[in-house]
Amino acid sequence: MPPPQLSVVVPMYEEEAVLPLFTQRLRPVLDGLAARSGATYEVVAVDDGSNDATPVLLERARRDWPQLRVVRLRTNAGHQ
């Protein structure tokens, strides 16, 4: 499979409260862009050692969103 033509990298730390909104808003935009242009995409969510439910919610979202990739850092390294 060829690599995606568009990669969106999103740093995350303690994002449990906004993750559902994040996926609800970003996925339709990227799916629409892909449908119109024929481009492939991926979203790389980099969890910077969150202690809340961020990792669980990301894994749950990944099951339904095949373009979502999750990178989890063991400890907080400064999310920028």
Side-chain angles (χ1 to χ4, degrees):
M1 177 183 295
Q5 296 165 316
L6 173 66
S7 293
V8 179
V9 180
V10 184
M12 298 191 166
Y13 180 72
E14 309 286 339
E15 304 294 345
E16 147 183 32
V18 296
L19 257 174
L21 187 59
F22 166 78
T23 57
Q24 289 171 4
R25 289 188 176 180
L26 184 60
R27 185 174 185 180
V29 170
L30 293 173
D31 285 347
L33 177 67
R36 285 188 305 278
S37 68
T40 57
Y41 74 88
E42 69 178 348
V43 176
V44 181
V46 181
D47 176 28
D48 193 20
S50 296
N51 293 311
D52 66 355
T54 298
V56 172
L57 293 173
L58 283 171
E59 287 302 320
R60 211 175 279 162
R62 192 175 64 79
R63 288 187 220 139
D64 298 326
W65 192 3
Q67 294 87 352
L68 179 62
R69 315 280 186 261
V70 178
V71 176
R72 182 147 195 252
L73 305 180
R74 291 179 194 226
T75 60
N76 181 270
H79 100 209
Q80 266 50 4

